Amino acid sequence: MLELALTFFVVAVLAGFFGLNGIAGLTMAIAKWLVLIFLALAVVSLLL
């Protein structure tokens, strides 16, 4: 999950570099949600 979030982050940075602000914003939002899901699942797995 974290690897996928990192991939979306790299795509967002590259899209921002090339001036594709809509795509950069969307991929950054997806990356943010994937990191939050990863952290929630990590906490749950540590507690159980």
Side-chain angles (χ1 to χ4, degrees):
M1 179 93 45
L2 198 55
E3 182 179 337
L4 189 59
L6 183 62
T7 303
F8 272 102
F9 175 72
V10 170
V11 170
V13 169
L14 289 175
F17 179 74
F18 289 115
L20 304 170
N21 293 330
I23 295 172
L26 178 65
T27 54
M28 191 57 116
I30 292 171
K32 180 180 72 170
W33 280 107
L34 287 174
V35 168
L36 290 175
I37 291 169
F38 168 78
L39 289 174
L41 290 175
V43 168
V44 168
S45 70
L46 286 174
L47 291 176
L48 296 177

